[in-house]
């Protein structure tokens, strides 16, 4: 590693909606890998969720910006939004995002933050080998945890068990249940203001 190289975490996801579990994962990754900053990257259209009903990318971007507001180490990047409107039919591929970040920040050392549920699907991603060359994988245990025999270049992050999921939050909103203390208060207010997740239908801008 070069002296004074900026260590940057990349945390991509649907963030539908972003919740306190996402923030906890990011903070644990920041501390474990001594990251200077973490870039949250909402996907315009996740490739593994094509055909599923997902609310407007702009709503997810706005909520993610609200979720990290006030943090010195967390930022939000909309890097996938202009690019994916013109390429890939709107689909957001991590390998393309990492290529762009490497071009924009040639002196940085990148760390890609994943939950263990995403690691299980990792080999089905587009060009997974190239991603591993561009970034070290930091994996946070979720669900059944992590296999102790992780591939080379993959580092696990130790931290509290997280029982919060975006799927559960959406379901709670649809059923009229409270999501207080599951998402930042600003995100809860945004969801109420824009009447999000009241049904299983997507909210188109």
């Amino acid at each position: 590693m070069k002296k004074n190289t900026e260590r940057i975490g990349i945390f991509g996801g649907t963030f539908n909606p972003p919740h306190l579990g996402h923030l906890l994962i990011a903070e644990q990754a920041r501390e474990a890998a001594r990251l200077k900053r973490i870039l949250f990257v909402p996907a315009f259209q996740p490739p593994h969720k094509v055909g599923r009903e997902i609310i407007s990318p702009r709503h997810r971007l706005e909520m993610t910006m609200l979720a990290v507001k006030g943090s010195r180490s967390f930022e939000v990047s909309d890097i996938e939004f202009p690019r994916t409107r013109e390429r890939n039919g709107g689909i957001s591929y991590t390998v393309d995002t990492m290529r762009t970040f490497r071009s924009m920040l040639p002196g940085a050392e990148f760390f890609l933050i994943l939950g263990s549920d995403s690691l299980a699907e990792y080999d089905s991603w587009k060009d997974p080998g190239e991603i591993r060359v561009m970034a070290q994988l930091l994996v946070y245990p979720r669900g059944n945890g992590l296999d102790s025999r992780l591939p080379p270049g993959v580092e696990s992050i130790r931290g509290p068990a997280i029982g919060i999921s975006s799927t559960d939050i959406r379901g709670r909103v649809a059923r009229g249940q409270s999501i207080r203390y599951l998402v930042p208060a600003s995100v809860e207010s945004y969801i109420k203001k824009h009447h999000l997740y009241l049904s299983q239908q997507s909210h188109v801008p």
Side-chain angles (χ1 to χ4, degrees):
M1 182 182 74
K2 295 179 182 179
K3 219 171 184 182
N4 299 323
T5 297
E6 186 177 24
R7 296 163 68 87
I8 300 175
I10 305 298
F11 193 4
T14 312
F15 301 118
N16 185 35
H19 53 67
L20 295 183
H22 292 130
L23 300 180
L24 176 59
I25 289 172
E27 179 64 11
Q28 295 294 315
R30 184 196 65 77
E31 188 172 56
R34 305 183 310 281
L35 304 177
K36 183 175 181 180
R37 56 182 170 140
I38 293 178
L39 302 178
F40 286 66
V41 185
F44 191 84
Q45 171 59 67
H48 286 80
K49 297 183 180 179
V50 172
R52 300 187 194 179
E53 293 180 331
I54 303 174
I55 67 166
S56 160
R58 287 292 167 189
H59 280 318
R60 294 186 284 105
L61 178 65
E62 290 292 335
M63 286 191 289
T64 307
M65 292 174 68
L66 288 171
V68 307
K69 188 175 182 180
S71 171
R72 294 183 178 180
S73 304
F74 297 167
E75 303 173 25
V76 177
S77 171
D78 63 355
I79 191 172
E80 297 195 343
F81 281 55
R83 173 170 57 80
T84 52
R85 277 200 297 265
E86 301 171 2
R87 298 171 55 187
N88 304 325
I91 297 176
S92 304
Y93 290 111
T94 299
V95 66
D96 294 328
T97 299
M98 290 308 309
R99 288 169 183 159
T100 304
F101 277 131
R102 292 255 296 190
S103 175
M104 292 170 56
L105 302 165
E109 183 177 5
F110 291 102
F111 296 78
L112 186 63
I113 302 168
L114 306 173
S116 55
D117 49 345
S118 295
L119 181 65
E121 300 178 337
Y122 179 76
D123 287 339
S124 69
W125 291 14
K126 181 181 178 183
D127 298 326
E130 184 179 347
I131 296 171
R132 291 271 295 278
V133 171
M134 293 187 286
Q136 181 174 334
L137 304 188
L138 298 177
V139 183
Y140 197 96
R142 298 199 68 179
N144 294 325
L146 279 174
D147 190 321
S148 59
R149 298 165 296 176
L150 290 173
V154 179
E155 181 180 338
S156 64
I157 308 166
R158 296 184 180 276
I162 298 174
I164 305 173
S165 76
S166 295
T167 301
D168 178 60
I169 290 168
R170 294 193 302 271
R172 293 182 69 83
V173 174
R175 294 189 297 271
Q177 296 175 308
S178 172
I179 58 171
R180 184 174 296 179
Y181 310 125
L182 297 176
V183 299
S186 56
V187 172
E188 180 184 14
S189 296
Y190 187 95
I191 290 171
K192 289 179 178 178
K193 177 181 178 180
H194 295 277
H195 310 292
L196 304 181
Y197 308 124
L198 295 178
S199 72
Q200 298 301 313
Q201 296 182 352
S202 301
H203 293 257
V204 179

